[in-house]
Amino acid sequence: MAHRILRPYFLLLTLFVQHVLSVSYEKIYQFDSGEFIENIAARSNGHLLLSVLTEPNLYTLDPSVPNAKAQIIHHFDGSTGVTGIAEIAHDIFAVSAGQLDLRTFQGVKGTFAVYTVDLTASAPVINKLADIPDTTNLNGIALSPFSPNVLLLSDSASGAIWSLDIKTGSSRIVLQDPLFEARPSNPLGINGLKTRGKYVYFTNSAQGIFGRVPFSVLSTASGPAQIITKVPGAGFDDFTFDLIGNALIANHPGSLYQISASGVNTVLINSTSIVEPTSAIFGRGSNESAKTLYVTTGGQFTVPGGTGGQLFAVTLF
Ligand SMILES: *[C@@H]1O[C@H](CO)[C@@H](O)[C@H](O)[C@H]1NC(C)=O
Ligand SMILES: *[C@@H]1O[C@H](CO)[C@@H](O)[C@H](O)[C@H]1NC(C)=O
């Protein structure tokens, strides 16, 4: 009996997992020319945080306000751009920044660091957590699956995941893997990083890979990296998950992929008006905003006067 009741529900769920029937999107903000949005995070109050790679600024924007403008929260002196963002405690975010040449995507060794951005009081409080001296391109940040005191950092240049102990500031490479490596034609290997269950999921931009690494309770990899899907020629960037475990991946030069847990991939959006998608996150703050997927773009940052970095609100039906 229970079986009979459950089965139609299961079929519906299966349909939903594999097919999004319709997608609509709307641009809600665009930076001036030359500003490349790299990453996005959503605060519990619904405000969005945007890291910009072409200037060392972290921005905030309230998407519930019509025609809202992005405002600078912090300028990271000594850096040229801001990369990863991850919430490490209620309204406290870890943010990475360093010096990076955007024409070549090569960074300067010794300039990368991870900061905490504490938004719990009315004025933001920013502190340096640690320098990560031995990297030339820190990109994504995620929390270790089993330890809230350990951050994982993707190193797009050397094809590695670093760990950073929040309490001591000590860092080390957890895993280097062929699936994280860059290619001579594209210096960005492992890029986005997100934790779900006991796995750390990643994209590799150069190799068109979406994959995962199993983690142990000691915040070490308990096996090699695994491929979930590989799309030759894809330019996978940062990503997020929906409630049932589909990954929504920003893909250069103009699309959004949905990849199911079993690796079935669907192109949800492909449009020349979405210029170089870089990351995606679901909204927070209300049940309504949790249905909205916010997608950032880099824009035509190498073209003088070209399209600036954009922010889209995407609805998946
Ligand atoms: C997007 O559309 C263009 C033009 O039709 C096509 O060449 C490209 O392969 C499409 N990208 C994806 C990811 O489907
Ligand atoms: C939001 O969703 C939760 C969980 O589905 C539900 O319990 C709650 O009543 C909803 N709130 C509103 C305002 O609809």
Side-chain angles (χ1 to χ4, degrees):
M1 193 62 187
H3 191 72
R4 236 185 240 165
I5 294 166
L6 279 174
R7 185 169 267 174
Y9 178 71
F10 175 74
L11 282 174
L12 270 176
L13 194 64
T14 306
L15 278 173
F16 183 61
V17 169
Q18 292 181 347
H19 304 283
V20 166
L21 299 176
S22 169
V23 177
S24 72
Y25 56 92
E26 174 194 6
K27 186 169 71 186
I28 58 171
Y29 188 70
Q30 184 167 319
F31 275 96
D32 290 340
S33 186
E35 292 176 284
F36 181 106
I37 310 174
E38 168 65 9
N39 224 314
I40 186 167
R43 293 177 59 191
S44 54
N45 66 2
H47 295 194
L48 303 173
L49 301 177
L50 306 170
S51 65
V52 171
L53 203 50
T54 39
E55 54 178 49
N57 292 328
L58 181 70
Y59 283 84
T60 184
L61 182 146
D62 180 356
S64 69
V65 174
N67 306 313
K69 288 211 170 2
Q71 311 279 346
I72 293 177
I73 285 191
H74 187 68
H75 180 88
F76 292 86
D77 286 330
S79 294
T80 61
V82 186
T83 54
I85 317 175
E87 189 169 24
I88 57 175
H90 175 73
D91 240 1
I92 303 177
F93 293 81
V95 171
S96 52
Q99 293 180 14
L100 192 79
D101 182 341
L102 264 175
R103 286 161 309 177
T104 59
F105 280 101
Q106 308 285 349
V108 181
K109 202 172 188 166
T111 64
F112 282 85
V114 178
Y115 302 81
T116 50
V117 175
D118 184 339
L119 302 175
T120 55
S122 54
V125 178
I126 286 82
N127 282 302
K128 187 188 274 187
L129 201 54
D131 287 308
I132 312 290
D134 231 10
T135 174
T136 60
N137 194 347
L138 275 193
N139 197 316
I141 305 183
L143 278 144
S144 175
F146 299 104
S147 175
N149 293 325
V150 177
L151 294 179
L152 303 171
L153 315 165
S154 62
D155 183 330
S156 300
S158 63
I161 294 179
W162 290 76
S163 70
L164 168 62
D165 187 313
I166 295 176
K167 299 278 183 232
T168 65
S170 70
S171 58
R172 63 185 177 85
I173 286 180
V174 193
L175 184 65
Q176 269 186 303
D177 192 287
L179 300 187
F180 298 164
E181 286 170 5
R183 288 287 178 258
S185 58
N186 183 342
L188 294 176
I190 185 170
N191 190 326
L193 215 55
K194 281 265 153 44
T195 299
R196 186 175 166 86
K198 61 178 179 166
Y199 292 93
V200 175
Y201 290 78
F202 66 94
T203 50
N204 181 318
S205 302
Q207 298 189 47
I209 289 171
F210 175 60
R212 67 182 189 180
V213 181
F215 261 68
S216 79
V217 289
L218 300 172
S219 295
T220 57
S222 58
Q226 309 164 354
I227 294 178
I228 295 170
T229 196
K230 181 167 182 167
V231 181
F236 290 157
D237 205 327
D238 284 291
F239 60 96
T240 195
F241 287 102
D242 68 14
L243 291 174
I244 52 173
N246 293 308
L248 288 314
I249 306 183
N251 182 58
H252 296 273
S255 58
L256 177 72
Y257 267 83
Q258 175 185 268
I259 298 180
S260 76
S262 61
V264 176
N265 68 64
T266 312
V267 178
L268 296 182
I269 301 176
N270 184 16
S271 164
T272 51
S273 64
I274 301 185
V275 186
E276 307 293 350
T278 50
S279 65
I281 196 92
F282 280 97
R284 289 172 70 190
S286 71
N287 288 357
E288 207 44 51
S289 56
K291 293 179 195 156
T292 303
L293 182 72
Y294 293 99
V295 175
T296 58
T297 78
Q300 297 167 305
F301 63 102
T302 56
V303 180
T307 306
Q310 305 156 306
L311 175 64
F312 287 88
V314 177
T315 309
L316 314 171
F317 299 98

